[in-house]
Amino acid sequence: MATKTRNRKVRREALGELGTDVRVALYVRRSTDEENQQYTSRVQEDRMRAYVASQPGWRVVMVYSDNASGKDTYRDDLAKAMKASRAGLFDVLLVFKVDRLSRNLRDLVTLLDDLDENGVVFRSATEPFDTSTPMGRMLVQMLGMFAQFERELIVERVIAGMEKAAEAGKWKGGRLPFGYGLNRKIMQLVPDKSQAVVVALIFDFYTRDRLGSNAIAKLLNLRGLRTSTGKQWSPQQVLRVLANRVYIGELTFRGITVEFCHAPLVTDHVFEQAQRLLDERGEDHSKRAANASDYLATGKMRCPMCGKAYIGTRATGRTKTYRYYTCWTRSRYGTDACPSPRLDADQIDSTLLDSMATFFRTQHDLMADAVAAAQRDHASNFDTRQDELDTVNAELAKTNAKIDRYLDAFEDGTLEPEDVKERLTKLRSTKQQLQDRRDVLAYELTEQPTMPDTATLTEVSQHVHEVIQDGTTLQRKALVEALVAQVSFPAPDRMVPTFRVPQPPDQPPQTAAEADPGDQESASAVRVSTRLVE
């Protein structure tokens, strides 16, 4: 720590001396969510190089460039720049404007703290501040708050524009549905003759010839017909066509449904017939989720090969139906896309229930270790949560002030009721989100994970045993949902569940500490609200 402090002091003193060799890294970001940008990546870099040239002793040693949104920090070159700062490869990180680094205030503060810890000064070529001073850090955080506000306004305007387009029956943007092109002058879908024929074939095969989605996909591929991306058809793509109401002239966006928006490719009669067959055959994926109650571990397992979720599937033999957990990728695209084997659902469910009963009956020491680790994590993150709570409270105050201004304008007669209603609806939605986040943060600051007493653990163990022995399938699934965080597969023949430790009744039911019985030394985590902290 002494070395880092000394290096930081030396670098900052060096910055104040004319002629000193100061290594500068440039960071450029072109945002994907901004249209008609005034400053391209090239313009940003040129302006920053001119700024460096005006500073005595400064020289550019590295250039990092991302083409990504500033809503988060998941950017390749930003990660490289932070890694290089930790290695001491430059003294100053220069951006064209603060919002090029981040449009999220919390991320901006975290990045500045990391740079400061690494002995790197942050500068903007167009904004006068120096993060080596308290005043400079305050200014950059204020600019970060305005950048976040500007991005949120952009998002609001985009969504509002898409809603208006949907209400007018216009295409709102995004990938075009198979079978249609786009008339950009009026932003309306128009049939694509070659693709429209394929759509009609799919509905004919399904409703007239009674072929299933697998058979239709194979038949289309054998005929050399391809999707809009040039790939082969899959059963899931066939089902999406059959269930998409765009083919009868409808458009839907965020609860807004408009009929007769464009020329239909199938008649209402044929479409409704297809929907009845989807229901009868159980092929509609939107309805399959409601029938997954007999798969206890759905939503808890990820494929170790491709990372997708395991889903419940069935195979019908001559005398019985076999239940499996199958990787989503394999189920959708076949074994060529993911060779992960299917898992015997009966065996998985039985092993999971036995493991859960044993854990809550015998692993009290491991629970105590998990709770202790969660308490340490709670203490170490206290300041971060407090800072976020202060920011949320400030934003909440601003939102309340905006609501008051709109109400005052309405009372004064300077705004029409329709204008006030639309804006107030959005502001009140924002207010509710901020209040919800404030309540969660306030709870996390005042409450910490607690180890249940022996009587509570005994009661939980008895309840687990009773539900496993005498409960219904729905009750067992509810028990797994409440007490199991995840199930992992560190080896082909090894399954490791991670359990939640119940908390006292005065805490929210979603709060729980977790422990992994597969690792007696290091496995511990805590669930706070819906967020897992390890």
Side-chain angles (χ1 to χ4, degrees):
M1 183 59 71
T3 302
K4 285 187 176 181
T5 302
R6 184 171 61 254
N7 288 343
R8 181 157 60 247
K9 182 178 180 181
V10 168
R11 290 177 186 176
R12 288 182 177 173
E13 288 178 351
L15 291 173
E17 299 176 2
L18 295 176
T20 301
D21 183 25
V22 179
R23 301 167 300 169
V24 181
L26 309 182
Y27 179 73
V28 178
R29 181 179 68 82
R30 182 188 184 279
S31 179
T32 59
D33 58 4
E34 297 171 5
E35 298 181 356
N36 303 317
Q37 299 177 88
Q38 182 179 2
Y39 300 107
T40 64
S41 299
R42 186 62 191 175
V43 170
Q44 291 179 49
E45 183 177 344
D46 290 344
R47 295 288 182 87
M48 286 191 286
R49 287 187 179 277
Y51 179 82
V52 170
S54 70
Q55 304 297 310
W58 285 31
R59 61 187 176 92
V60 176
V61 294
M62 297 178 182
V63 178
Y64 301 96
S65 180
D66 282 312
N67 184 24
S69 171
K71 65 181 181 180
D72 53 44
T73 58
Y74 299 111
R75 289 170 256 153
D76 293 339
D77 266 29
L78 177 60
K80 293 178 183 178
M82 297 308 293
K83 184 176 181 180
S85 76
R86 288 190 290 273
L89 300 182
F90 55 84
D91 306 306
V92 175
L93 181 64
L94 181 67
V95 297
F96 182 67
K97 292 177 63 179
V98 171
D99 63 9
R100 298 303 87 192
L101 185 66
S102 178
R103 283 185 176 272
N104 182 291
L105 179 60
R106 184 178 181 184
D107 290 342
L108 179 63
V109 172
T110 300
L111 291 170
L112 292 179
D113 286 343
D114 289 346
L115 290 172
D116 185 63
E117 180 66 24
N118 300 333
V120 174
V121 172
F122 176 69
R123 289 282 182 88
S124 166
T126 58
E127 295 151 332
F129 61 80
D130 180 354
T131 59
S132 64
T133 67
M135 180 63 72
R137 291 182 66 84
M138 182 190 74
L139 289 173
V140 74
Q141 290 182 28
M142 290 177 64
L143 290 171
M145 184 175 294
F146 283 115
Q148 179 173 336
F149 175 68
E150 181 183 1
R151 180 184 176 276
E152 290 170 353
L153 286 180
I154 292 172
V155 171
E156 281 190 3
R157 287 196 295 268
V158 169
I159 292 177
M162 294 172 75
E163 288 177 342
K164 289 182 179 178
E167 290 173 352
K170 296 181 179 180
W171 181 245
K172 62 188 179 302
R175 178 179 292 182
L176 294 172
F178 182 84
Y180 285 102
L182 180 64
N183 183 333
R184 296 191 176 276
K185 290 183 178 180
I186 58 176
M187 291 304 291
Q188 190 175 67
L189 295 178
V190 292
D192 179 298
K193 291 183 178 180
S194 60
Q195 293 184 359
V197 172
V198 180
V199 172
L201 276 176
I202 291 174
F203 277 91
D204 282 346
F205 287 150
Y206 198 74
T207 60
R208 183 189 62 194
D209 301 331
R210 292 297 196 269
L211 298 181
S213 56
N214 280 287
I216 294 174
K218 290 180 180 178
L219 190 55
L220 294 176
N221 294 330
L222 284 173
R223 294 187 177 188
L225 300 173
R226 295 293 183 262
T227 66
S228 55
T229 59
K231 297 181 180 179
Q232 291 193 338
W233 286 88
S234 70
Q236 287 70 28
Q237 289 169 316
V238 171
L239 290 174
R240 281 203 296 271
V241 169
L242 292 169
N244 196 343
R245 301 187 68 86
V246 73
Y247 297 116
I248 57 174
E250 287 186 8
L251 285 179
T252 299
F253 178 69
R254 296 174 69 90
I256 301 170
T257 299
V258 183
E259 299 177 338
F260 313 113
C261 300
H262 48 265
L265 299 187
V266 297
T267 65
D268 290 352
H269 173 72
V270 171
F271 187 83
E272 292 304 325
Q273 191 178 0
Q275 305 318 298
R276 285 195 298 272
L277 283 173
L278 286 170
D279 289 340
E280 292 171 6
R281 295 175 173 180
E283 289 194 287
D284 189 346
H285 282 228
S286 66
K287 295 179 175 59
R288 285 186 181 184
N291 299 323
S293 59
D294 56 339
Y295 290 89
L296 304 184
T298 49
K300 305 295 182 183
M301 303 188 300
R302 292 277 171 181
C303 174
M305 292 188 177
C306 70
K308 296 293 185 180
Y310 277 101
I311 59 175
T313 59
R314 284 182 169 86
T316 303
R318 291 186 177 180
T319 58
K320 64 176 292 187
T321 298
Y322 299 90
R323 300 168 62 250
Y324 297 101
Y325 287 109
T326 306
C327 166
W328 180 87
T329 303
R330 170 177 170 159
S331 176
R332 181 171 185 179
Y333 298 110
T335 54
D336 290 340
C338 181
S340 178
R342 295 182 298 182
L343 306 177
D344 186 324
D346 292 332
Q347 184 178 0
I348 292 288
D349 291 350
S350 176
T351 302
L352 181 59
L353 292 176
D354 290 343
S355 178
M356 182 165 55
T358 301
F359 176 80
F360 285 100
R361 186 176 67 252
T362 64
Q363 297 293 337
H364 295 182
D365 290 342
L366 183 57
M367 293 185 207
D369 292 342
V371 171
Q375 291 170 343
R376 291 193 295 271
D377 180 77
H378 178 272
S380 65
N381 287 309
F382 183 89
D383 291 341
T384 300
R385 291 192 181 100
Q386 184 61 61
D387 291 342
E388 185 181 355
L389 179 59
D390 293 341
T391 301
V392 168
N393 282 328
E395 292 296 321
L396 188 57
K398 291 180 182 178
T399 303
N400 285 328
K402 291 179 184 178
I403 292 174
D404 290 340
R405 286 198 296 271
Y406 273 97
L407 292 175
D408 290 342
F410 173 69
E411 291 175 354
D412 293 341
T414 57
L415 279 178
E416 295 298 325
E418 294 78 9
D419 298 332
V420 174
K421 180 180 179 181
E422 180 181 359
R423 187 57 183 159
L424 282 181
T425 298
K426 294 179 180 179
L427 285 172
R428 283 169 177 158
S429 176
T430 300
K431 178 180 178 179
Q432 186 61 54
Q433 292 174 343
L434 290 169
Q435 288 175 333
D436 291 344
R437 183 58 183 158
R438 177 199 62 190
D439 294 342
V440 170
L441 288 169
Y443 172 79
E444 291 177 349
L445 284 168
T446 56
E447 300 291 340
Q448 65 176 351
T450 305
M451 180 63 185
D453 57 30
T454 303
T456 300
L457 291 177
T458 301
E459 183 180 350
V460 170
S461 178
Q462 290 175 346
H463 178 67
V464 170
H465 176 76
E466 291 171 0
V467 172
I468 291 175
Q469 292 296 317
D470 304 318
T472 64
T473 301
L474 285 175
Q475 289 172 330
R476 294 191 187 100
K477 184 173 178 64
L479 190 68
V480 170
E481 185 64 31
L483 297 180
V484 178
Q486 65 180 15
V487 179
S488 59
F489 298 91
D493 59 347
R494 186 175 178 223
M495 182 183 84
V496 179
T498 300
F499 296 108
R500 296 191 178 107
V501 179
Q503 295 294 280
D506 59 332
Q507 296 191 18
Q510 288 181 315
T511 301
E514 299 176 349
D516 182 348
D519 187 344
Q520 296 287 332
E521 297 179 354
S522 63
S524 62
V526 59
R527 180 166 292 275
V528 181
S529 298
T530 58
R531 185 162 52 93
L532 184 65
V533 183
E534 295 187 351

